Amino acid sequence: MPTYYKYTQLYNFARQVFKKIGCSDEHAEQAADVLISADLRGIDSHGMARLAGYVKQWEIKRLNPTPNIKVVHETPSTAVIDGDAGLGLVVAPTAMQIAIEKAQKVGTGWVAIKNSGHFGIAGYHAMMPLRYDMVGMTMTNASSLVTPTFSLDKLLGTNPIAVAVPTEKYPPFVADLATSAVAYGKMQILQRQGKEAPLGLVQNEQGQPSHNPHEPKIGGALLPLGSDRVHSSHKGYALGAIVDILSGVLPGANYGPWVPPFATAGNTSERTPPVGEGTGHFVGAMRIDAFRPAQDFKQSMDHWISTFKEAKAVEGKEVLIPGEPERNAHIERLITGIPVLPAVVESLEKLAQQFDLEWLENNKAQATSMQ
Amino acid sequence: MPTYYKYTQLYNFARQVFKKIGCSDEHAEQAADVLISADLRGIDSHGMARLAGYVKQWEIKRLNPTPNIKVVHETPSTAVIDGDAGLGLVVAPTAMQIAIEKAQKVGTGWVAIKNSGHFGIAGYHAMMPLRYDMVGMTMTNASSLVTPTFSLDKLLGTNPIAVAVPTEKYPPFVADLATSAVAYGKMQILQRQGKEAPLGLVQNEQGQPSHNPHEPKIGGALLPLGSDRVHSSHKGYALGAIVDILSGVLPGANYGPWVPPFATAGNTSERTPPVGEGTGHFVGAMRIDAFRPAQDFKQSMDHWISTFKEAKAVEGKEVLIPGEPERNAHIERLITGIPVLPAVVESLEKLAQQFDLEWLENNKAQATSMQ
């Protein structure tokens, strides 16, 4: 059973932890904001559940809490950023801000980032340009868990792509998707529940279909979107490869199996020597009115959305707009609080002890009673 | 049994047909070049097999053979093009040329196109920037054949995305993928063979799994990449939606179920009134050295490719690089000639009669003997 906390409690706790490891006020606030947005949007795997992981990165000296994030090369519409081994949670929004400024000047801005780390949910960064009537785009490579079609070697991460599009009356269109058949978090849930996975999500060490959600840890792998050749896993593989090339090869970060692991318990080994610097991202912003009056476009987007929402659906189901489930979770969790699983509560309590922070006992009772 | 023709024969035939419907020399050559590149790359559904379809568009006055293709809005890194109801085969390369010129000046160029038509294979246009050491990107919307997850209504086309990346020693990386589980051409092949489709590619009128490759014509539909909710069809749906928004909504072309059909036999009905002008595309070019020295990048790409090619593979299989099968077909067909199915030969012979062109009898025998 999860315990419910108010998002402000969790935000403040994360902010204090980031300050304790040496982040500036500004960076700690930015990092906590990205983390809590994952929990608010229902993507529990990428929020407070990862806070201890970021601290672990700092402990093993793979995270610089006071990075000098700088532009190392640029043109009017592009830049490459060196994240100086800082938190991806801070480096990525910094890069997106530069992309937005370039888009304001020349229509679009595209920033490739090296020497960064895990940046939280891709959708957060993709949504930053929305307030400026811009389309936002974000991708990142990640440590390898996914096999290309017919491969036994894990060569790609779950390499997500996110695209956010502004609208007038409706909430924005926000697609945020791993290019694997499912995110690893889905397998972790099945692992904890002791359940089997449906076929088509993982393969075993011999590249054969498997029901075992533990496969990626015991020589098997996650499968690309499409699952198998008949259902076009080569397309999921190609999409994951595009993300790896733009995020990794383009800025000069690591790529393929060299992308450093996110330090969760027991998984800190890196493939050496590296082929680039840290983890890589790629972000972009496109000003709508660099193409068409923003008002016209946003009205068309409303019509696009209403057309899809009103589609005839399979009995008992409805057609959802990308971003709608996350938006609904956000609204609900602002009211009910954020459910945190016992293992995550435990990891946060440990952080409270480690950094001599007050834990949220009193508020826990209060937030729980709000349900 | 297919008949084999030399690609130059087919190229010249297509060029003459385009001239007969009123295209300029330059446009006829460009259009024939895009068509024949599909046949050379083994994507038979998008090459000479479609020539009669383009002529049909002209006959029903949906194709302007002498378009005034013009920029209607631009910034340093963006433009919107009005294709003036011209051949997509000509409009798209014109747009990509503009994207390339913008990339030369400000690092990247992004062009959204309205009032165009079917543009052939996305990969052709994406590969144009390669010779300038640029990454190329192309997408297009298309008439609706695909259902969003849980929808009974077909609201999206097969909406392909292509990305081409330059390399040093290896052939370029060229991903070119429909965002549906499979392209409709795959179903047409099964239809002709009287075979069943594997589950997960089409659904029936009630949204249930089906083996019938005719489904998209009888109330059913093609499924998005991912096939079903368990295997993340919502991701294929989101990708198809992104393509529709950038190609259709952004330039002010038609979108969703309003994208006009490509006039193949018996399928010319349009949903009226339109919500925009014609079919839409979106193309982009990014100069590598707007991020990183091109030579360094291309050497890293070679290393990326060799890493993936050398992966341990499932017994009897190999790990392929996106674009590799098409590249192999290209090399083979330059030598063996291009195999053309009897139904396509017949459609071309009819065009020869219609336009009083010499058909390829003599050469047919000659090319066939080359096998």
Side-chain angles (χ1 to χ4, degrees):
Chain A
M1 286 289 294
T3 310
Y4 283 70
Y5 296 96
K6 280 192 286 191
Y7 86 94
T8 45
Q9 291 179 284
L10 297 173
Y11 166 82
N12 277 318
F13 185 77
R15 188 177 57 81
Q16 289 177 70
V17 168
F18 285 123
K19 284 186 67 172
K20 288 283 186 179
I21 66 171
C23 295
S24 68
D25 285 358
E26 192 195 344
H27 282 188
E29 284 165 19
Q30 174 66 77
D33 195 50
V34 180
L35 270 201
I36 203 67
S37 80
D39 290 302
L40 277 169
R41 291 174 71 76
I43 309 165
D44 301 340
S45 56
H46 283 57
M48 296 303 286
R50 295 252 169 112
L51 184 57
Y54 291 100
V55 171
K56 179 83 181 164
Q57 294 281 71
W58 169 74
E59 286 170 345
I60 61 174
K61 300 199 188 318
R62 295 226 183 106
L63 170 66
N64 175 3
T66 55
N68 176 18
I69 303 168
K70 57 180 184 294
V71 173
V72 293
H73 186 70
E74 65 181 322
T75 72
S77 78
T78 68
V80 172
I81 301 285
D82 182 334
D84 196 19
L87 278 166
L89 305 169
V90 170
V91 175
T94 305
M96 184 56 101
Q97 198 54 50
I98 293 168
I100 289 168
E101 283 159 23
K102 289 184 177 285
Q104 282 166 333
K105 286 181 195 150
V106 297
T108 67
W110 305 89
V111 179
I113 300 104
K114 65 178 175 179
N115 207 359
S116 184
H118 193 281
F119 76 8
I121 51 170
Y124 179 97
H125 316 294
M127 290 170 75
M128 286 177 60
L130 289 176
R131 76 190 76 172
Y132 305 98
D133 281 352
M134 296 181 185
V135 171
M137 222 176 272
T138 308
M139 49 186 84
T140 185
N141 63 13
S143 58
S144 52
L145 283 169
V146 181
T147 41
T149 303
F150 299 135
S151 172
L152 298 178
D153 292 339
K154 292 189 278 282
L155 296 178
L156 291 168
T158 53
N159 295 7
I161 301 172
V163 175
V165 182
T167 45
E168 184 78 18
K169 289 183 215 159
Y170 283 102
F173 172 104
V174 183
D176 182 353
L177 53 113
T179 51
S180 48
V182 290
Y184 187 57
K186 293 271 169 71
M187 290 301 106
Q188 289 177 309
I189 292 169
L190 295 175
Q191 288 168 15
R192 282 195 290 267
Q193 296 174 333
K195 287 189 182 161
E196 291 203 325
L199 288 181
L201 306 184
V202 292
Q203 70 179 24
N204 69 14
E205 202 167 359
Q206 288 78 42
Q208 299 305 313
S210 168
H211 284 291
N212 185 352
H214 296 274
E215 288 295 358
K217 292 188 298 186
I218 56 171
L222 288 179
L223 292 168
L225 176 59
S227 299
D228 57 34
R229 185 59 183 79
V230 169
H231 299 89
S232 299
S233 62
H234 58 294
K235 296 182 182 182
Y237 156 38
L239 290 165
I242 291 165
V243 172
D244 194 37
I245 291 167
L246 296 182
S247 304
V249 185
L250 192 56
N254 285 292
Y255 48 79
W258 285 272
V259 180
F262 183 70
T264 43
N267 176 22
T268 58
S269 67
E270 292 188 60
R271 187 153 163 174
T272 52
V275 294
E277 294 175 77
T279 295
H281 322 306
F282 184 75
V283 305
M286 300 197 286
R287 226 171 66 212
I288 295 296
D289 68 6
F291 295 91
R292 195 186 162 192
Q295 192 73 8
D296 293 358
F297 173 87
K298 291 194 289 181
Q299 283 168 4
S300 290
M301 274 308 298
D302 280 355
H303 180 245
W304 190 98
I305 286 173
S306 66
T307 301
F308 279 66
K309 281 180 79 77
E310 288 159 15
K312 237 188 306 171
V314 174
E315 211 181 316
K317 300 288 185 184
E318 60 177 320
V319 177
L320 298 172
I321 304 303
E324 200 175 349
E326 293 82 6
R327 172 85 181 183
N328 292 342
H330 192 133
I331 292 167
E332 186 185 323
R333 290 178 171 198
L334 284 177
I335 299 166
T336 63
I338 290 168
V340 184
L341 291 173
V344 177
V345 172
E346 199 183 314
S347 77
L348 299 178
E349 283 174 337
K350 272 190 198 158
L351 292 174
Q353 281 177 3
Q354 179 176 356
F355 294 114
D356 198 21
L357 291 170
E358 206 173 326
W359 181 233
L360 316 166
E361 284 305 332
N362 289 339
N363 291 321
K364 173 158 81 172
Q366 189 194 346
T368 308
S369 71
M370 289 171 68
Q371 293 175 65
Chain B
M1 286 291 292
T3 311
Y4 283 71
Y5 296 96
K6 280 191 285 192
Y7 86 93
T8 46
Q9 292 179 280
L10 296 173
Y11 167 82
N12 277 319
F13 185 78
R15 189 178 56 82
Q16 290 177 70
V17 169
F18 286 123
K19 284 186 67 171
K20 287 283 185 180
I21 67 171
C23 294
S24 68
D25 285 359
E26 191 195 345
H27 282 187
E29 283 164 20
Q30 174 66 76
D33 195 49
V34 180
L35 269 200
I36 202 67
S37 80
D39 290 303
L40 277 169
R41 292 174 70 76
I43 310 166
D44 301 340
S45 56
H46 283 55
M48 296 303 286
R50 295 254 168 111
L51 183 58
Y54 291 100
V55 171
K56 177 83 182 163
Q57 293 281 69
W58 168 73
E59 286 170 345
I60 61 174
K61 301 199 187 317
R62 297 227 180 105
L63 171 65
N64 174 3
T66 56
N68 175 19
I69 303 168
K70 58 180 185 294
V71 174
V72 293
H73 185 70
E74 65 181 322
T75 71
S77 78
T78 68
V80 172
I81 302 284
D82 182 337
D84 197 20
L87 278 165
L89 304 169
V90 171
V91 175
T94 306
M96 184 56 101
Q97 199 53 49
I98 293 168
I100 290 167
E101 283 160 23
K102 288 184 177 284
Q104 282 166 332
K105 285 181 196 151
V106 296
T108 67
W110 305 89
V111 179
I113 301 104
K114 64 177 176 180
N115 207 0
S116 184
H118 194 282
F119 76 8
I121 51 169
Y124 179 96
H125 315 296
M127 289 169 75
M128 286 175 60
L130 290 175
R131 77 190 75 169
Y132 305 98
D133 280 352
M134 295 180 186
V135 171
M137 222 176 272
T138 309
M139 47 187 86
T140 185
N141 65 13
S143 59
S144 52
L145 282 169
V146 182
T147 42
T149 303
F150 298 136
S151 172
L152 298 178
D153 293 339
K154 292 189 278 281
L155 296 178
L156 292 168
T158 52
N159 295 7
I161 301 172
V163 175
V165 182
T167 45
E168 184 78 18
K169 289 184 215 160
Y170 283 102
F173 173 104
V174 184
D176 182 354
L177 53 112
T179 51
S180 48
V182 291
Y184 187 57
K186 292 270 169 72
M187 290 300 107
Q188 289 176 310
I189 291 169
L190 294 175
Q191 288 168 15
R192 281 195 291 269
Q193 296 174 333
K195 287 191 183 161
E196 291 204 326
L199 288 181
L201 306 183
V202 293
Q203 69 179 25
N204 69 13
E205 203 167 359
Q206 289 77 42
Q208 300 305 313
S210 168
H211 283 292
N212 185 352
H214 295 274
E215 289 294 356
K217 291 189 298 188
I218 56 170
L222 287 180
L223 291 168
L225 177 59
S227 298
D228 56 34
R229 184 60 184 78
V230 169
H231 299 89
S232 299
S233 63
H234 58 293
K235 297 182 182 182
Y237 155 39
L239 290 165
I242 291 165
V243 172
D244 194 37
I245 290 167
L246 296 182
S247 303
V249 184
L250 192 57
N254 286 292
Y255 48 79
W258 285 272
V259 180
F262 184 70
T264 44
N267 177 22
T268 58
S269 67
E270 291 189 62
R271 187 154 164 174
T272 52
V275 294
E277 294 174 76
T279 296
H281 321 307
F282 184 74
V283 304
M286 300 197 287
R287 224 171 67 212
I288 296 294
D289 69 5
F291 296 91
R292 195 187 161 190
Q295 192 73 8
D296 292 358
F297 173 87
K298 292 195 288 182
Q299 282 167 3
S300 290
M301 274 307 298
D302 280 355
H303 179 245
W304 190 98
I305 287 172
S306 66
T307 301
F308 279 67
K309 282 180 80 78
E310 288 160 15
K312 236 187 309 172
V314 173
E315 209 180 318
K317 301 287 186 184
E318 61 177 321
V319 177
L320 298 171
I321 304 304
E324 199 174 348
E326 294 80 7
R327 172 86 182 183
N328 292 342
H330 192 132
I331 292 167
E332 185 185 324
R333 289 178 171 197
L334 284 177
I335 299 165
T336 63
I338 290 169
V340 184
L341 291 172
V344 177
V345 172
E346 200 183 312
S347 77
L348 298 177
E349 283 173 339
K350 273 190 197 158
L351 291 174
Q353 281 176 4
Q354 180 178 354
F355 294 114
D356 197 22
L357 292 170
E358 205 173 327
W359 181 234
L360 316 166
E361 286 305 334
N362 289 339
N363 291 322
K364 174 157 78 172
Q366 188 192 346
T368 308
S369 70
M370 290 170 67
Q371 294 176 64

